[in-house]
Amino acid sequence: MKYKFLILPAVLALPLLAAPVKKHRPVLEVNFAEKVPFSTDFSSSVWKKTPAYPFMKAVSDLSDFHALPLEGGQIRLLYDKNFLYLAAELEDSEVTTTGTKNQSAFFALGDVVEVFLKPENHNFYWEIYGTPNNLQTCYFFPSRGSLGLPSGFAAQGVEVKVVSSVNGSFNNSFDRDKGWKTLIKIPLASLRKNNLKFVPGEKWTIFVARYNYSRYLPACELSGVPQKFGDFHVLSDYARLVIK
């Protein structure tokens, strides 16, 4: 704990305890639904009643705070008794990826949505990807302290499902697209590690990231929900996930 010192006229230094700083976590809600269609048609009533959260520009300097990305998007969250669902709707002038098989590092291969899920009171967490061409990756890290070890990137046997649709062409840089949508379906059985539960009252955190590659952008654009500074693996920046 740091101390501050007050210099008095009598040249006496008194240690004053600095008040601890409490970090405020943003809050995202995930609602329960009896049945969620495995489709990128998000016009059904089950999705319309669900809160939408916008992607915010990844922070690299002070001007980025509260800024929207050049190409925006939003996410919604639902769960049923067996799965957690993340729906993303994304503006995108060039929908592209060179990824061709599951369990790849898609952030280095093209457009991708990434979901980070962590139980608040444990060190371990998941990193799950969905791509415009229906591919998925699931990484599991025992802690940030073990991040980078080969075991974290190994296939986990988690049956994540992804369905996506493109408004425009795909992997064609000679036209201009409008965007893409994706639905990532995550089995709750995989999240119940070490007797965890995914029910109201349980403490989970979440961060959703996006890599957007396009020849119409000045650089690959990074954005996230909630807005985040720097490293996507700074776990204390994740939002609190309120299970309704």
Side-chain angles (χ1 to χ4, degrees):
M1 183 176 287
K2 293 183 179 179
Y3 292 86
K4 294 181 180 179
F5 291 92
L6 175 65
I7 299 177
L8 300 177
V11 198
L12 176 66
L14 297 177
L16 301 178
L17 287 176
V21 177
K22 292 185 178 180
K23 193 162 189 175
H24 171 72
R25 284 188 187 271
V27 173
L28 304 185
E29 292 182 359
V30 54
N31 294 330
F32 179 80
E34 289 290 343
K35 185 176 181 181
V36 182
F38 187 54
S39 164
T40 57
D41 180 3
F42 303 137
S43 62
S44 64
S45 59
V46 69
W47 285 114
K48 285 186 175 179
K49 295 184 292 185
T50 303
Y53 301 100
F55 279 92
M56 303 297 292
K57 185 176 182 180
V59 177
S60 58
D61 58 50
L62 292 178
S63 66
D64 293 331
F65 280 103
H66 309 298
L68 293 169
L70 295 175
E71 296 187 343
Q74 63 181 20
I75 64 162
R76 290 184 171 91
L77 295 158
L78 285 173
Y79 75 105
D80 60 23
K81 62 182 181 180
N82 294 315
F83 297 96
L84 170 65
Y85 301 84
L86 181 132
E89 300 176 79
L90 310 160
E91 297 174 0
D92 197 332
S93 53
E94 183 189 359
V95 183
T96 183
T97 181
T98 57
T100 58
K101 62 181 181 179
N102 290 328
Q103 206 60 25
S104 298
F106 292 116
F107 63 89
L109 300 174
D111 296 330
V112 68
V113 172
E114 304 179 343
V115 187
F116 296 80
L117 288 165
K118 180 186 175 298
E120 190 168 335
N121 297 323
H122 294 270
N123 288 337
F124 55 83
Y125 64 105
W126 290 262
E127 181 179 355
I128 297 167
Y129 300 168
T131 73
N133 54 340
N134 307 314
L135 298 177
Q136 59 85 14
T137 288
C138 182
Y139 297 145
F140 175 77
F141 304 112
S143 73
R144 193 181 178 203
S146 61
L147 183 64
L149 294 177
S151 57
F153 303 105
Q156 300 298 318
V158 179
E159 294 189 12
V160 173
K161 302 292 185 185
V162 175
V163 61
S164 301
S165 58
V166 176
N167 187 353
S169 63
F170 176 63
N171 279 350
N172 181 357
S173 60
F174 293 98
D175 63 0
R176 194 170 187 122
D177 304 324
K178 293 185 177 179
W180 61 289
K181 297 188 224 179
T182 191
L183 181 66
I184 302 174
K185 181 179 177 181
I186 303 166
L188 294 181
S190 302
L191 304 182
R192 294 177 179 136
K193 223 173 176 61
N194 295 337
N195 297 316
L196 291 175
K197 298 178 181 178
F198 196 90
V199 295
E202 292 296 308
K203 294 183 177 180
W204 285 83
T205 63
I206 188 171
F207 173 63
V208 183
R210 179 189 181 192
Y211 283 72
N212 182 17
Y213 292 85
S214 173
R215 76 180 187 90
Y216 299 102
L217 295 174
C220 174
E221 185 171 57
L222 305 182
S223 56
V225 183
Q227 189 173 43
K228 198 169 181 325
F229 181 88
D231 187 349
F232 289 170
H233 291 267
V234 177
L235 308 177
S236 58
D237 290 345
Y238 292 4
R240 179 167 288 115
L241 185 61
V242 176
I243 304 170
K244 306 291 279 188

